[in-house]
Amino acid sequence: MSTENASSNLTVIPSDSLRAALNPDGTLDRDRFNIPVTSATLNPTSPASPVLSKDVPINPSHSTWARIFLPTRTLSCSEEKLPVIVYYHGGAFILYSAASTLFHEFCVSLARELSAVVVSVEYRLAPEHRLPMAYDDAVEALHWVKTAREEWLAGHVDLSTCYLMGTNAGGNLAFFAGLRASASHDELKPLKIRGVILHHPFFGGSQRTPSELRLVNDQMLPLAKGDFLWELSLPLGATRDHVCCNPIVDGGSKISEGVDKMRSLGWRLLVAGCDGDPLFDRQVEFAQMMQEKGVSVVRVFTEGGHHVIEVTEPDRSKPLLQTLKTFMSTTVTS
């Protein structure tokens, strides 16, 4: 499906515009893209606000913060504790924010439909802060959640029921944050991660896949643009077979230890994508590899669509949200 039918909040930025936005010092002029943003909504009396939100700092020295989304009804049920979804926004590691309208609205839907508190993390972006710095911020956010005295988290979150979730680059982030968290899970207590949800995760590699070749001129994520995005976000000098980009390289040998730990902890993995996305084959191969390594994997792959369709076209998100609801309920009881 063409991105011309996507949400008006979506800013599709061509590769040449990205190149033109690069400053001589290697930083990126993001202001020129005019990506829509939405302010947090703290007013509980508004009937149009089934979900409240507010921004809270995590690490001021890194300018990281979180936007917390709380179902409004929870305020009248002081004894009810909800699961927490730690969410990482998309943008190929270089664009967008937890305040971007696109991801704000998606997190509102997650909180409302899944009856969960959503903590959307603002992490540092490349090329100013190349990988793995975003992974550092992602894990730091988990430690912040476990110790936060912020009233919504302290009063309404069940720390023993936590999920990591991300879209696009955020899906990549959720996975690698999960790998790190599994290695130090005792340090995260009482936070207990139950599962990891990768929504159209942003992976790559040097060898082209059939879906990349079939959709080489995709409106949203053409092959040349994807290559350039990885060039901006990976460590200097790294190729697209760096593990941050291509976790299945060499049969996933570079992540085997972390995956084994995930499996031993009983974490479940959900991978969602669609065959209208150039990244489709990589997502399918990743899910298959994880399953072969013994991880319990739920694969949600649909026909048609386009990259991150459930975010850009909210009316297409209902099947995904229902699947997530089932995934979370069965994960808790398993």
Side-chain angles (χ1 to χ4, degrees):
M1 179 178 294
S2 169
T3 56
E4 292 175 359
N5 296 323
S7 166
S8 60
N9 291 325
L10 173 66
T11 303
V12 179
I13 300 170
S15 297
D16 56 354
S17 296
L18 284 171
R19 293 182 186 278
L22 275 177
N23 296 315
D25 63 358
T27 60
L28 190 68
D29 178 12
R30 295 177 180 83
D31 291 340
R32 67 165 58 201
F33 300 129
N34 295 316
I35 295 173
V37 296
T38 296
S39 299
T41 305
L42 265 171
N43 182 6
T45 63
S46 171
S49 301
V51 174
L52 305 177
S53 57
K54 64 178 171 180
D55 299 336
V56 184
I58 295 178
N59 185 339
S61 67
H62 290 162
S63 299
T64 57
W65 49 273
R67 177 162 293 185
I68 307 174
F69 297 82
L70 178 76
T72 306
R73 62 170 181 78
T74 307
L75 294 177
S76 60
C77 305
S78 59
E79 300 302 317
E80 183 180 15
K81 298 284 188 176
L82 301 179
V84 58
I85 299 172
V86 180
Y87 180 82
Y88 305 105
H89 68 80
F93 296 111
I94 70 166
L95 293 172
Y96 290 93
S97 159
S100 297
T101 299
L102 202 64
F103 295 108
H104 175 94
E105 292 179 351
F106 188 60
C107 287
V108 167
S109 295
L110 291 175
R112 182 183 65 240
E113 300 300 325
L114 303 180
S115 295
V117 175
V118 177
V119 178
S120 182
V121 178
E122 181 76 353
Y123 52 87
R124 288 173 292 176
L125 299 177
E128 297 88 348
H129 306 285
R130 291 173 176 268
L131 293 173
M133 287 188 184
Y135 299 163
D136 298 339
D137 296 341
V139 175
E140 184 178 39
L142 299 179
H143 287 274
W144 175 80
V145 169
K146 81 159 188 180
T147 58
R149 298 181 181 179
E150 195 285 321
E151 59 180 333
W152 285 2
L153 298 182
H156 302 289
V157 163
D158 175 7
L159 290 176
S160 70
T161 311
C162 174
Y163 299 87
L164 309 186
M165 179 177 179
T167 298
N168 176 264
N172 178 307
L173 261 179
F175 175 67
F176 281 99
L179 285 181
R180 292 190 182 189
S182 68
S184 58
H185 68 284
D186 285 336
E187 298 174 12
L188 284 171
K189 291 179 179 178
L191 189 72
K192 184 174 182 179
I193 297 170
R194 301 280 187 165
V196 182
I197 301 164
L198 312 186
H199 178 231
H200 293 224
F202 187 48
F203 295 134
S206 296
Q207 185 174 348
R208 305 306 189 187
T209 66
S211 63
E212 287 174 337
L213 295 175
R214 174 170 52 87
L215 297 166
V216 63
N217 293 316
D218 181 68
Q219 289 289 314
M220 185 178 296
L221 195 59
L223 195 58
K225 178 180 176 181
D227 290 352
F228 185 54
L229 292 169
W230 281 117
E231 182 183 330
L232 293 178
S233 57
L234 286 170
L236 288 173
T239 72
R240 292 192 306 278
D241 282 329
H242 188 284
V243 66
C244 293
C245 176
N246 188 4
I248 71 171
V249 69
D250 298 329
S253 60
K254 297 179 181 179
I255 60 171
S256 289
E257 185 176 348
V259 172
D260 289 345
K261 191 64 177 179
M262 279 186 173
R263 184 189 66 246
S264 68
L265 291 170
W267 294 5
R268 300 177 71 214
L269 179 70
L270 186 148
V271 184
C274 65
D275 69 4
D277 182 355
L279 303 181
F280 177 70
D281 287 342
R282 296 196 182 279
Q283 295 156 0
V284 172
E285 291 172 3
F286 172 82
Q288 180 64 31
M289 180 198 70
M290 293 295 287
Q291 193 164 35
E292 290 172 354
K293 289 181 177 294
V295 177
S296 175
V297 179
V298 175
R299 294 186 281 188
V300 185
F301 296 121
T302 58
E303 295 181 357
H306 57 75
H307 187 57
V308 302
I309 186 172
E310 293 89 358
V311 175
T312 62
E313 299 185 43
D315 60 337
R316 303 284 293 273
S317 67
K318 289 183 179 179
L320 173 67
L321 292 170
Q322 184 57 52
T323 299
L324 294 180
K325 185 179 294 186
T326 301
F327 175 78
M328 291 170 63
S329 64
T330 54
T331 300
V332 170
T333 58
S334 61

